[in-house]
Amino acid sequence: VQLQACGGGLVQPGGSLKLSCAASGRTLSGYPVGWFRQAPGKEREFVAAIRWSGGGTFYADSVRGRFTISRDIAKNTMYLQMNSLTPEDTAVYYCAASGLRLIASEIRAFKNYDYWGQGTQVTVSS
């Protein structure tokens, strides 16, 4: 599976961005996909995930209510709508797909994801 992320950029605090991640090489049906982020000097952290087939969603506490993960099955593409952005959201955002059928307790761990996009920079600053 090849993943191509895009949509990052510079936005002011309180603003919005929508990230996209297009998958090729294999259908994502039946597997979870997600977004992670890594800020300078910090570890990669879970942001959000969605089960491709059932559509169940999972969010980090820090983004719940502000970010929305979704997917377009026909386009084999997933999205991350980010609203009410703060400087603390500044990071490189990575999309990822797992080759495993993860249970809820496993879905937030980046080590359970096999395929990664190249990352897109999101900078929130005035």
Side-chain angles (χ1 to χ4, degrees):
V1 176
Q2 292 78 46
L3 302 174
Q4 182 72 35
C6 63
L10 173 64
V11 63
Q12 292 187 341
S16 299
L17 278 176
K18 186 173 185 177
L19 306 182
S20 301
C21 179
S24 61
R26 193 202 77 183
T27 178
L28 296 174
S29 177
Y31 299 97
V33 296
W35 292 93
F36 293 77
R37 67 186 181 186
Q38 188 165 18
K42 295 187 177 181
E43 294 186 350
R44 189 169 300 190
E45 66 173 357
F46 170 78
V47 176
I50 186 169
R51 295 194 187 280
W52 193 262
S53 297
T57 56
F58 305 81
Y59 293 97
D61 290 342
S62 59
V63 307
R64 185 175 290 111
R66 299 188 298 123
F67 291 12
T68 302
I69 188 171
S70 61
R71 83 275 188 250
D72 186 322
I73 294 175
K75 295 182 178 179
N76 223 28
T77 300
M78 64 176 175
Y79 306 95
L80 186 68
Q81 176 67 47
M82 304 185 294
N83 299 329
S84 301
L85 285 161
T86 74
E88 288 68 38
D89 296 315
T90 295
V92 177
Y93 283 70
Y94 298 90
C95 57
S98 176
L100 303 172
R101 301 182 188 275
L102 304 175
I103 61 176
S105 62
E106 298 170 329
I107 212 162
R108 291 174 171 81
F110 70 83
K111 66 181 179 65
N112 291 327
Y113 289 78
D114 306 285
Y115 310 101
W116 292 85
Q118 82 285 9
T120 184
Q121 177 70 47
V122 172
T123 302
V124 185
S125 175
S126 56

